[in-house]
């Protein structure tokens, strides 16, 4: 897939690194095409030595130099990052925010008139090109810009263009989802250890089983219940375990976990507006 122009990355934490890693892995981007900045010197030194990307002196330099300016700071740092970005001429650039709970209307309001804003919710698997990313555009952003941001993010995983009203739900499900899945993988592995398996072997079995099960859902398009039924032999072993899962209320716990996460994302914007106005 082709490179869509110089990419700027402001904030080189966990998600910023995942983006850099995914873009380089795609081979559409070389380190020389990525311009980045983080306020923490250890962080940008680490990124420079590990990936060889260009580290600039400020967020505004990153914004001046790149065509797509990606903001990957924590939601509470977004106002400071915007102040810096605003110092650069932003005509013909795309501002791409990956921050949870920060609406495009907030970004459009705080950036110069006419700035094209795209918002995305990625996840950590972007680092290996297996991310799930949802994108949406702010008022005034063209379809061309949305498609350009989509093409960029497609280098790091699967991208869906969605209505912004779903962004908090997406944050709860696919943005935070890997954390929930890791707890499940850890629990599966702990069960293996309880039954006498070595820890390494238990992790391998748990992780590969989760990967394979997910891939089967994606590649067959089947309802997960149908795939589950294919594992459950009448009167067999799996049904015994499923009864325990239902007794423990796993489904309700997961539904509640994703819902609470989405709710927090929804409240984040209100909190920020209150604290920053
Ligand atoms: N981690 C995920 O799985 C994930 C998934 C989806 C979306 N996101 C979104 O991605 C964003 C970043 O999350 P993260 O987990 O990568 O956080 P993180 O690890 O804390 O990384 C953010 C980095 O940005 C730096 N920073 C803060 N203000 C800055 C500024 N004005 N200019 C340049 N750099 C600045 C931070 O420094 P300090 O440490 O000094 O603050 C930190 O090094 C968040 O908005 C989050 O909602 C994350």
């Amino acid at each position: 897939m082709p490179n869509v122009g110089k990419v700027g990355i402001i904030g080189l934490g966990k998600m910023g690194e995942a983006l850099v890693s995914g873009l380089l892995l795609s081979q559409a981007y070389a380190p020389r095409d990525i311009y980045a900045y983080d306020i923490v010197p250890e962080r940008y030194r680490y990124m420079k030595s590990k990936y060889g990307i260009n580290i600039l002196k400020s967020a505004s330099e990153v914004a001046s130099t790149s065509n797509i300016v990606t903001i990957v700071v924590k939601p509470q740092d977004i106002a400071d990052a915007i102040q810096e970005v605003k110092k650069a001429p932003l005509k013909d650039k795309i501002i791409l925010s990956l921050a949870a709970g920060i609406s495009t209307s907030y970004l459009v309001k705080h950036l110069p008139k006419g700035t094209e804003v795209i918002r995305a919710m990625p996840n950590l698997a972007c680092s290996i090109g297996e991310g799930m990313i949802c994108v949406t555009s702010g008022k005034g952003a063209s379809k061309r810009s949305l498609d350009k941001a989509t093409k960029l993010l497609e280098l790091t995983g699967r991208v869906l263009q969605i209505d912004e009203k779903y962004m908090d739900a997406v944050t709860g499900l696919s943005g935070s989802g890997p954390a929930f899945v890791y707890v499940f993988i850890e629990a599966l592995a702990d069960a293996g250890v309880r039954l006498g398996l070595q820890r390494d072997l238990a992790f391998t079995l748990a992780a590969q089983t989760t990967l394979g099960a997910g891939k089967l859902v994606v590649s067959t398009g089947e309802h997960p219940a149908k795939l589950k039924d294919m594992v459950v032999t009448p009167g067999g072993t799996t049904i015994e375990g499923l009864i325990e899962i239902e007794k423990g209320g796993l489904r309700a716990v997961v539904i509640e976990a994703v819902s609470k996460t989405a709710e927090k994302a929804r409240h984040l914007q209100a909190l920020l507006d209150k604290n920053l106005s």
Side-chain angles (χ1 to χ4, degrees):
M1 246 195 276
N3 168 324
V4 292
K6 292 179 194 167
V7 170
I9 301 180
I10 297 167
L12 293 168
K14 295 170 284 292
M15 196 60 231
E17 179 171 6
L19 189 62
V20 169
S21 166
L23 291 177
L24 294 179
L25 200 69
S26 75
Q27 297 192 336
Y29 275 83
R32 66 171 176 277
D33 305 317
I34 300 176
Y35 298 83
Y37 172 72
D38 192 290
I39 47 171
V40 183
E42 300 84 67
R43 215 38 221 169
Y44 63 66
R45 281 192 209 110
Y46 157 81
M47 291 295 288
K48 170 87 189 160
S49 75
K50 182 162 181 189
Y51 299 98
I53 56 174
N54 304 294
I55 300 295
L56 303 184
K57 289 197 187 73
S58 65
S60 58
E61 254 191 63
V62 170
S64 299
T65 313
S66 38
N67 306 111
I68 300 190
V69 185
T70 316
I71 305 182
V72 206
V73 300
K74 287 183 283 283
Q76 62 268 30
D77 296 324
I78 201 94
D80 291 345
I82 287 177
Q83 283 309 319
E84 278 298 310
V85 167
K86 266 163 79 164
K87 293 179 187 164
L90 298 178
K91 194 171 175 300
D92 300 329
K93 293 181 193 281
I94 297 171
I95 304 296
L96 172 60
S97 167
L98 306 189
I102 304 295
S103 65
T104 57
S105 58
Y106 175 89
L107 297 163
V108 167
K109 185 174 152 200
H110 291 87
L111 283 162
K113 201 163 180 273
T115 307
E116 294 200 75
V117 168
I118 307 291
R119 175 184 176 192
M121 179 45 58
N123 68 21
L124 223 47
C126 288
S127 61
I128 53 162
E130 291 288 350
M132 180 67 243
I133 308 120
C134 288
V135 288
T136 194
S137 51
K139 201 168 173 216
S142 63
K143 175 83 173 81
R144 195 166 160 267
S145 293
L146 179 64
D147 289 342
K148 204 167 174 184
T150 300
K151 281 207 173 71
L152 174 79
L153 294 167
E154 271 173 351
L155 298 169
T156 70
R158 184 169 176 181
V159 184
L160 294 175
Q161 296 181 352
I162 62 161
D163 191 305
E164 188 164 11
K165 70 180 178 200
Y166 299 121
M167 218 36 145
D168 295 327
V170 165
T171 302
L173 204 168
S174 54
S176 303
F180 309 144
V181 174
Y182 295 140
V183 172
F184 185 70
I185 291 175
E186 200 188 355
L188 277 182
D190 280 346
V193 170
R194 185 188 195 192
L195 294 166
L197 301 182
Q198 291 300 312
R199 172 76 54 193
D200 284 1
L201 175 60
F203 275 142
T204 304
L205 300 189
Q208 181 62 35
T209 300
T210 312
L211 176 68
K215 270 196 167 176
L216 260 182
V217 177
V218 172
S219 65
T220 62
E222 290 289 4
H223 193 293
K226 188 170 175 196
L227 293 169
K228 180 208 72 187
D229 286 352
M230 290 168 70
V231 187
V232 184
T233 316
T237 53
T238 313
I239 191 68
E240 297 301 323
L242 277 177
I243 291 165
E244 292 306 312
I245 281 188
E246 298 302 349
K247 271 202 251 171
L250 182 70
R251 288 171 199 262
V253 168
V254 173
I255 292 168
E256 204 51 40
V258 173
S259 308
K260 281 280 191 293
T261 309
E263 202 179 302
K264 177 70 187 249
R266 211 165 23 248
H267 287 147
L268 219 49
Q269 179 61 55
L271 277 175
L272 273 180
D273 278 345
K274 206 169 135 202
N275 294 340
L276 299 174
S277 59

